[in-house]
Amino acid sequence: MWELQSASFWRAIFAEFFATLFYVFFGLGASLHWGPGPLHVLQVALAFGLALATLVQAVGHISGAHVNPAVTFAFLVGSQMSLLRAFSYMAAQLLGAVVGAAMLYSVTPPAVRGNLALNTLHPGVSVGQATAVEIFLTLQLVLCIFATYDERRNGRLGSVALAVGFSLTLGHLFGMYYTGAGMNPARSFAPAILTRNFTNHWVYWVGPIIGGGLGSLLYDFLLFPRLKSVSERLSVLKGTRPRDSNAQPEGTVEPVELKTEAL
């Protein structure tokens, strides 16, 4: 439990709360209907993507800017963070999401609030199909995050923040038509709890959690395996104090200048 005595641990928890609050506030805010006619999918996709890219740039070096319980679960499956840190992240993310949605609710005219961009299944899409879509959406997001955050890559190319943001944008461009593109249980939970509408809400937990776990297993054990022993993985999960107390926690973005040269 040494992490509870670490200032960097609490800064990371607050960063996840703060980042998820802003992610939900701006993402849901850009998804509200202010006028007649359908909402443009590209507007919503870019809003969520740019919000996440901004937050990765802002707090990625502090907490990793997971901003998503499914992403945190993926890092836990990959034994890249302790159980204590993972569950603390998830609690902070859910609380931040609810606070962000509540703030949006309070500053939005009643006629515009609607259902606060609640995730819903498109008519004709079954819960099984919706769950499968959420799995694939979150799988590609987690693969992108794991690849761009990976400190083992030599000469990482481009911007980590933009790569992650574009991955989320891609998920929205496809998923909006099927499920409203959840990919994030905290994002789906916040409007559901404020509107008290939990119809098919489990889809937006089960799909992203499975997708995140599969993405972690695929990247860390098949595509680019991390050569850790069972004892090393258990040590990480239990939160054993690292020998180098100043080491950068796994699951965060290293504060280094990224190369942008073409391959």
Side-chain angles (χ1 to χ4, degrees), residues 71-192:
V71 172
T72 298
F73 179 74
F75 279 105
L76 181 64
V77 169
S79 303
Q80 296 192 51
M81 64 192 314
S82 68
L83 284 164
L84 173 63
R85 181 178 289 263
F87 286 113
S88 298
Y89 270 30
M90 292 179 188
Q93 291 156 0
L94 291 173
L95 180 60
V98 172
V99 172
M103 290 175 60
L104 178 65
Y105 183 92
S106 67
V107 301
T108 305
V112 179
R113 290 173 189 158
N115 61 3
L116 278 182
L118 178 73
N119 284 131
T120 57
L121 274 58
H122 189 278
V125 176
S126 69
V127 291
Q129 292 170 327
T131 303
V133 167
E134 286 293 318
I135 289 173
F136 277 103
L137 296 179
T138 313
L139 173 61
Q140 64 85 23
L141 174 64
V142 167
L143 280 177
C144 179
I145 291 173
F146 270 50
T148 53
Y149 280 26
D150 197 339
E151 74 285 351
R152 298 170 297 164
R153 293 182 62 176
N154 294 322
R156 290 184 291 183
L157 303 173
S159 167
V160 171
L162 285 179
V164 173
F166 281 139
S167 177
L168 187 69
T169 300
L170 170 64
H172 277 79
L173 290 174
F174 177 86
M176 285 282 293
Y177 296 104
Y178 289 83
T179 63
M183 292 189 285
N184 184 333
R187 174 260 182 268
S188 301
F189 177 74

Side-chain angles (χ1 to χ4, degrees), residues 20 36 56 94-96 105 128 131 144 155 161 175 177 211 232 250 253 256 263:
T20 312
V56 169
L94 291 173
L95 180 60
Y105 183 92
T131 303
C144 179
Y177 296 104
E232 288 175 321
E250 291 191 271
V253 182
V256 296
L263 285 172

Side-chain angles (χ1 to χ4, degrees), residues 5 29 32 70 80 90 149 199 227:
Q5 303 173 8
L32 299 179
Q80 296 192 51
M90 292 179 188
Y149 280 26
T199 303
L227 303 179

